Amino acid sequence: IFNDGLLSLHDREAGRFMMGEARVSNFEGLTRLRLKPSDMSTLLAGQIPRLQDQGGEVIWDEVRGRAVLVLKRGIQRQVISFDQKDTTPRMMALYESEVLMVRVLLADYSQSEPKLPRQLRVEIPQGEIKVNTTLVDYTLNPRLPEIAFKIEPPPGLETQSF
């Protein structure tokens, strides 16, 4: 659970409840992905976390045979490709000093608005990490009671720090 700057995890198999600040290091320790929790939320919402909110350069990618958006910030370069028909993001590659750090692939978008990717693949070449996520069943913007936003350990479990 990521809420209000806190990250928590209920590990049923190990019988523990962990909570701490929503820092990249805590999230990375849980998922082996070098992403901020807010970036993962953005990905699961069918969007690509971007290096910059405005600008960039659209170029023709000979390898992919399509136009891509290239964003730059310092030593980082981000390449984003979109579906040509409906402009949903399909791939994002993030490079640091021209070394591929992470690639994200989004596929099988829902037909209804807002379009959400039902398949998400995150690849981190340096760690030989590949994480596949498939969205099977979801409810968008359900009404939740106020208690749903309070993070508390399940009965009988102590809270451990990350």
Side-chain angles (χ1 to χ4, degrees):
I1 298 172
F2 169 59
N3 184 27
D4 200 27
L6 290 176
L7 183 64
S8 66
L9 172 76
H10 178 198
D11 185 345
R12 291 177 192 228
E13 291 179 14
R16 64 183 178 166
F17 182 81
M18 300 171 68
M19 184 175 353
E21 186 180 340
R23 295 190 322 251
V24 172
S25 60
N26 287 341
F27 189 72
E28 183 179 337
L30 292 172
T31 64
R32 296 176 30 189
L33 297 177
R34 202 172 139 202
L35 294 171
K36 295 184 290 188
S38 58
D39 286 350
M40 181 54 89
S41 294
T42 300
L43 284 171
L44 292 173
Q47 298 299 314
I48 298 285
R50 296 182 309 266
L51 286 179
Q52 58 192 65
D53 291 333
Q54 298 177 21
E57 180 182 15
V58 176
I59 63 170
W60 184 258
D61 185 329
E62 295 290 335
V63 175
R64 293 179 184 88
R66 64 175 52 189
V68 296
L69 174 64
V70 178
L71 304 172
K72 296 178 181 177
R73 182 176 66 201
I75 63 168
Q76 294 181 313
R77 180 173 61 93
Q78 186 177 38
V79 179
I80 304 172
S81 70
F82 300 87
D83 184 281
Q84 302 294 324
K85 296 175 193 153
D86 62 13
T87 67
T88 53
R90 296 302 173 142
M91 186 279 307
M92 182 279 298
L94 179 64
Y95 300 85
E96 287 185 9
S97 300
E98 296 307 311
V99 174
L100 179 62
M101 302 305 289
V102 63
R103 178 182 296 119
V104 177
L105 303 163
L106 302 119
D108 190 24
Y109 276 79
S110 61
Q111 296 302 309
S112 59
E113 293 292 336
K115 293 184 180 275
L116 297 174
R118 291 185 284 231
Q119 293 182 345
L120 172 70
R121 179 180 177 104
V122 180
E123 302 172 349
I124 302 175
Q126 274 69 26
E128 297 182 17
I129 298 170
K130 294 178 182 173
V131 177
N132 292 302
T133 303
T134 301
L135 186 61
V136 177
D137 187 20
Y138 63 91
T139 302
L140 210 53
N141 297 322
R143 292 181 187 248
L144 298 172
E146 199 59 37
I147 191 77
F149 299 98
K150 294 182 182 178
I151 301 175
E152 295 181 9
L157 292 180
E158 298 278 329
T159 301
Q160 301 174 13
S161 294
F162 283 107

